Amino acid sequence: MATAPSAKLTPLLKDELDIVIPTIRNLDFLEMWRPFFEQYHLIIVQDGDPSKKIRVPDGFDYQLYNRNDVNRILGPKASCISFKDSACRCFGYLVSKKKYIFTIDDDCFVAKDPSGKEINALEQHIKNLLTPSTTHFFNTLYDPYREGADFVRGYPFSLREGAPTAVSHGLWLNIPDYDAPTQLVKPLERNTRYVDAVMTVPKGTLFPMCGMNLAFDRELIGPAMYFGLMGDGQPIGRYDDMWAGWCMKVICDHLGLGVKTGLPYIWHSKASNPFVNLKKEYKGIFWQEKAIPFFQSVSLPKECSSVEKCHLALAGEVKSKLGEVDPYFIKLADAMVTWIEAWNMVNSPGEKPAMTSLPNATSKK
């Protein structure tokens, strides 16, 4: 006797999360992610030539935006969205109407844990975001909110409530996220180490944020997730996620929000060309030695009580302090302001119905 097929289980936060993917190519990689992504809504940001047709496998619910859509929706404010660089992904953050965002690159595939089980990266990110962070005191068993862990002896009871988690930063097996000089001296190195741990990045500590396997609470920290001016017409590339991470972390520390790093892992399949990367990173390698001390020392005014206010105040500091390093930072600071203006324009209550329909963007269910 035949049995009826079992209904698909509703995944966590199905109607509260968008998956944002920047791309220049057909998205065949989604086939491997189908069991985990198929029930979620995708926002695909097509970079490069807007006349190029991007193929998305059947069965996915998505909206696809190209540069023409960016220009149409944002008008003059489209200048803050990078072109010919994966930094364009932040446009997807801008137009999303969901509480949570997961963003992934199109050369990232499903990884397996040491037992051989496929890792549901999205599910782990959600677990990270839905449990607090330990920003003020380090727990030596790492994330005490994970199953099988707890606060160790000596952890202050007054701090065990933790802080709301704004960002979940995942890692990668196979191709490590190295800069160009490290790629050149270690061309064959692969990351095979699976560390079963999630930890909070302590308050006052910066970290190199990678955008290829990342989730965040858009309502808590969305306006801070600006990936800067990179790519076409700019003197720098491959620092988009780094810049966003430094800005985001300073703002999270100021507002009492947490950032987690560690699980989940994805399988990073493709090593980018180190010589091309070096050309993109060259100035950034020097500039980061000025930028990081700036972020380590910058202080936001107490009256900055929202992410938008914090980001605008940070833009002012970038212009006055890093503008001395290179005129690019003056341009970047202006773009940070434009980004907040665009965020407020697209996300103001009066604009939501019009922006939700987005008649010229490609949509499919």
Side-chain angles (χ1 to χ4, degrees), residues 25 29 104-109 212 266-272:
R25 58 182 63 88
F29 92 112
I104 186 171
D105 284 4
D106 60 15
D107 62 349
C108 295
F109 296 91
M212 75 172 83
I266 50 85
W267 181 269
H268 186 208
S269 66
K270 187 179 69 176
S272 49

Side-chain angles (χ1 to χ4, degrees), residues 131-174:
T131 53
S133 296
T134 53
T135 55
H136 296 284
F137 203 87
F138 188 80
N139 190 56
T140 51
L141 274 182
Y142 308 119
D143 190 343
Y145 306 100
R146 286 187 71 197
E147 186 177 350
D150 211 324
F151 294 98
V152 298
R153 181 171 56 88
Y155 199 100
F157 284 88
S158 60
L159 296 178
R160 294 190 181 194
E161 185 177 331
T165 301
V167 175
S168 172
H169 177 257
L171 300 175
W172 354 264
L173 294 172
N174 196 35

Side-chain angles (χ1 to χ4, degrees), residues 185-254:
V185 298
K186 294 183 174 182
L188 301 179
E189 185 158 291
R190 299 295 181 263
N191 182 34
T192 59
R193 297 193 324 138
Y194 178 96
V195 181
D196 186 13
V198 178
M199 63 188 74
T200 297
V201 182
K203 182 178 181 180
T205 301
L206 298 175
F207 74 107
M209 187 176 81
C210 172
M212 75 172 83
N213 175 23
L214 181 71
F216 60 93
D217 186 323
R218 186 177 177 277
E219 291 183 1
L220 281 181
I221 200 63
M225 301 299 281
Y226 175 52
F227 277 49
L229 284 179
M230 304 282 154
D232 192 54
Q234 308 303 333
I236 185 175
R238 285 175 54 83
Y239 273 87
D240 51 327
D241 42 9
M242 299 294 130
W243 183 263
W246 298 332
C247 292
M248 172 275 296
K249 189 58 168 61
V250 167
I251 293 172
C252 280
D253 287 350
H254 178 78

Side-chain angles (χ1 to χ4, degrees), residues 29 42 49 57 81 90 103 134 192 200 205 225 244 285 287 299 304 314 333 358:
F29 92 112
L42 312 181
D49 182 1
I81 304 298
C90 62
T103 185
T134 53
T192 59
T200 297
T205 301
M225 301 299 281
I285 290 170
W287 289 346
S299 179
C304 288
L314 197 51
L358 296 170

